[in-house]
Amino acid sequence: MTGRLIGVGTGPGDPELLTLKAVRVLAMADVVAHFAKEGRTGNARATVEGFLRPDAVELPLRYPVTTEIPHDNAAYAAAIATFYAEATAAVAEHLAAGRTVAVLSEGDPLFYGSYMHLHVRLAPRWPAEVIPGVTAMSGCWSQAGLPLVQGDDILTVLPGTLPESELTRRIADSPASVIMKVGRNLPRIRRALEGAGKLARAVYVERGTMDRTVTTPLAAKTDDSAPYFSLVLVPGWEGRP
Amino acid sequence: MTGRLIGVGTGPGDPELLTLKAVRVLAMADVVAHFAKEGRTGNARATVEGFLRPDAVELPLRYPVTTEIPHDNAAYAAAIATFYAEATAAVAEHLAAGRTVAVLSEGDPLFYGSYMHLHVRLAPRWPAEVIPGVTAMSGCWSQAGLPLVQGDDILTVLPGTLPESELTRRIADSPASVIMKVGRNLPRIRRALEGAGKLARAVYVERGTMDRTVTTPLAAKTDDSAPYFSLVLVPGWEGRP
């Protein structure tokens, strides 16, 4: 028996947006690993509730820090490096015992997913497969019914953590944008959109495809609070066809 | 009975990458519309083979032209405008009769999908819902096992139809890129990657998640032939963590 690593995209949140392949793999995996903050159930794990083999071993991987320390801080880098080394060792132990390990990933595993850190460390040593998933951004623009890009449009995906001048420049330079990691960055994102002359076209979506979802033109949103699961969309497809 | 329009993302090609929601909707839709070139079965229709209600009415929507006429040509615009007006009328007739119409879309409906043209014309008049799908690009980088973006990376999605100077500038300016619509544009895309100093990092993927798929470093690809279903990926996540 050879251990097998499978990165499983669990999609944007609605369990019905799991793929058939993800469902099949989750129903047979010996071990199901999932990332979460201490004391929380990660969103990916919540999405797959009811889809796991009843006797599957669960392997929660607990981030030691998330947003408490700035990410350019050496203490953050050290804590995260230790965390990924330990997570790799924990998964490797199951692989060495010949087990199939499914690692859950919100959205799509290789698109900003924590699974990537395990993949680069383990795929050279064991058979590894990645099951793509519906991204959070697809979930959000579908929920909003907002056509995003068409034909020869260009799309830029930007983390809201970028400096304001950088956000402004890139939003202005791209017909369509998706701004991720909104959260506490919302005031800066607003200013960048205004600076790029695109605030009026921006749409804010919170918890796309999940319960208690919110969709509103960003200009109509009166407060600056935004959860982690929120995005700003700037459609590129205007006045056409 | 009120007619209902549903845009259904069918994913990158592998039928197992259909979502549970797409499968549920396809099993109950009265009418299934799908875009294709004359004389061909579109990829989305091929993906859902075996998932439709046996008595579903099929409504093929045949593009009058695809790549025979340059897209900036007035003749192309006129032919396409007529086509979408007729397609809208054909779908509207079923909606007016109270039927549920599923419109298939390869990948994700609002991400470069033809469904968008029907959505903007019909959603103001009938209840419309969009079921997101796994995009072709997710299918390709998952197939390649290629981590694409992480942390604060920026991703730019570029159509290969752009002028070479524009491609070069944007590829150079973005940590990660996905170049779509490769096909006959491959020689120009190669030159742009070389100009941006990123040819060595580019990965070519053909028919991701489908039969007879190909994954190769672009620099190792010796010919310039590329089918419609091919992409070039430039990962942004290098030398980390």
Side-chain angles (χ1 to χ4, degrees):
Chain A
M1 286 225 307
T2 304
R4 200 150 66 99
L5 176 68
I6 310 180
V8 180
T10 63
D14 177 355
E16 260 209 300
L17 295 175
L18 285 166
T19 64
L20 299 177
K21 193 167 185 177
V23 169
R24 175 173 62 80
V25 163
L26 293 174
M28 65 80 172
D30 302 307
V31 179
V32 176
H34 40 89
F35 291 92
K37 202 168 168 169
E38 193 63 56
R40 299 275 189 88
T41 299
N43 199 58
R45 176 62 188 84
T47 301
V48 303
E49 183 63 31
F51 289 95
L52 308 189
R53 216 175 77 185
D55 63 339
V57 172
E58 294 209 35
L59 179 61
L61 305 168
R62 303 288 188 197
Y63 297 116
V65 289
T66 52
T67 53
E68 301 82 1
I69 311 179
H71 289 197
D72 52 3
N73 189 304
Y76 176 83
I80 286 292
T82 303
F83 166 64
Y84 283 121
E86 289 171 0
T88 299
V91 172
E93 197 176 314
H94 288 291
L95 294 172
R99 300 185 189 114
T100 294
V101 181
V103 180
L104 306 184
S105 204
E106 290 155 18
D108 179 89
L110 301 182
F111 185 70
Y112 300 104
S114 295
Y115 166 74
M116 292 162 65
H117 295 277
L118 299 182
H119 187 87
V120 295
R121 289 167 170 86
L122 294 166
R125 295 158 61 197
W126 279 281
E129 187 184 359
V130 180
I131 304 177
V134 174
T135 59
M137 63 185 192
S138 280
C140 287
W141 65 58
S142 298
Q143 167 103 36
L146 188 72
L148 203 84
V149 275
Q150 182 58 266
D152 290 345
D153 283 343
I154 295 162
L155 169 67
T156 305
V157 181
L158 297 164
T161 45
L162 291 174
E164 185 179 331
S165 61
E166 188 70 2
L167 275 175
T168 307
R169 176 177 82 80
R170 291 184 182 268
I171 292 166
D173 192 35
S174 185
S177 305
V178 171
I179 305 157
M180 325 250 292
K181 304 192 182 193
V182 174
R184 64 176 77 171
N185 304 301
L186 185 54
R188 190 168 66 251
I189 294 167
R190 257 187 220 280
R191 290 193 302 270
L193 284 159
E194 198 149 30
K198 300 212 180 173
L199 182 57
R201 306 189 58 205
V203 175
Y204 170 86
V205 185
E206 187 174 304
R207 299 178 55 83
T209 83
M210 291 182 262
D211 290 342
R212 296 174 287 122
T213 183
V214 173
T215 300
T216 177
L218 181 57
K221 183 172 160 61
T222 51
D223 64 286
D224 273 339
S225 78
Y228 179 79
F229 288 106
S230 55
L231 286 181
V232 173
L233 306 169
V234 182
W237 198 55
E238 190 187 28
R240 283 177 290 160
Chain B
M1 285 222 312
T2 304
R4 199 149 68 98
L5 175 68
I6 310 180
V8 180
T10 64
D14 176 355
E16 261 209 298
L17 294 175
L18 286 166
T19 63
L20 299 177
K21 193 167 187 178
V23 170
R24 175 173 62 79
V25 163
L26 293 173
M28 65 80 173
D30 302 308
V31 179
V32 176
H34 41 89
F35 292 93
K37 201 167 170 170
E38 192 62 55
R40 299 274 189 90
T41 300
N43 199 58
R45 177 63 188 84
T47 301
V48 304
E49 182 64 30
F51 290 95
L52 308 189
R53 216 174 76 184
D55 63 339
V57 172
E58 294 209 35
L59 178 61
L61 305 168
R62 301 292 187 194
Y63 297 116
V65 288
T66 52
T67 54
E68 301 80 3
I69 311 179
H71 289 197
D72 52 3
N73 190 303
Y76 176 83
I80 286 292
T82 303
F83 166 64
Y84 282 120
E86 289 172 358
T88 300
V91 172
E93 197 176 314
H94 288 292
L95 294 172
R99 299 184 190 114
T100 294
V101 181
V103 180
L104 306 184
S105 203
E106 288 155 19
D108 179 89
L110 301 182
F111 185 70
Y112 300 104
S114 296
Y115 166 74
M116 292 163 63
H117 295 276
L118 300 181
H119 188 86
V120 295
R121 290 166 169 87
L122 294 165
R125 295 157 61 198
W126 279 282
E129 186 183 1
V130 180
I131 303 177
V134 174
T135 59
M137 63 185 190
S138 280
C140 287
W141 64 57
S142 298
Q143 166 103 36
L146 189 72
L148 203 83
V149 274
Q150 181 56 266
D152 290 345
D153 283 344
I154 295 162
L155 170 67
T156 305
V157 181
L158 297 164
T161 45
L162 291 174
E164 184 179 333
S165 60
E166 189 68 2
L167 275 176
T168 307
R169 176 177 82 81
R170 292 185 182 268
I171 292 166
D173 192 36
S174 185
S177 305
V178 171
I179 305 158
M180 325 250 294
K181 304 195 180 188
V182 174
R184 64 177 74 170
N185 304 300
L186 185 53
R188 190 169 63 251
I189 294 167
R190 256 188 223 278
R191 291 193 302 271
L193 284 159
E194 197 149 32
K198 300 213 180 172
L199 182 57
R201 304 189 57 202
V203 175
Y204 170 85
V205 186
E206 187 174 305
R207 299 177 56 82
T209 83
M210 291 183 262
D211 290 342
R212 295 173 288 120
T213 182
V214 173
T215 299
T216 177
L218 180 57
K221 182 171 160 63
T222 50
D223 65 284
D224 273 340
S225 78
Y228 180 79
F229 289 106
S230 54
L231 286 181
V232 173
L233 307 169
V234 182
W237 198 56
E238 189 188 27
R240 282 178 291 157

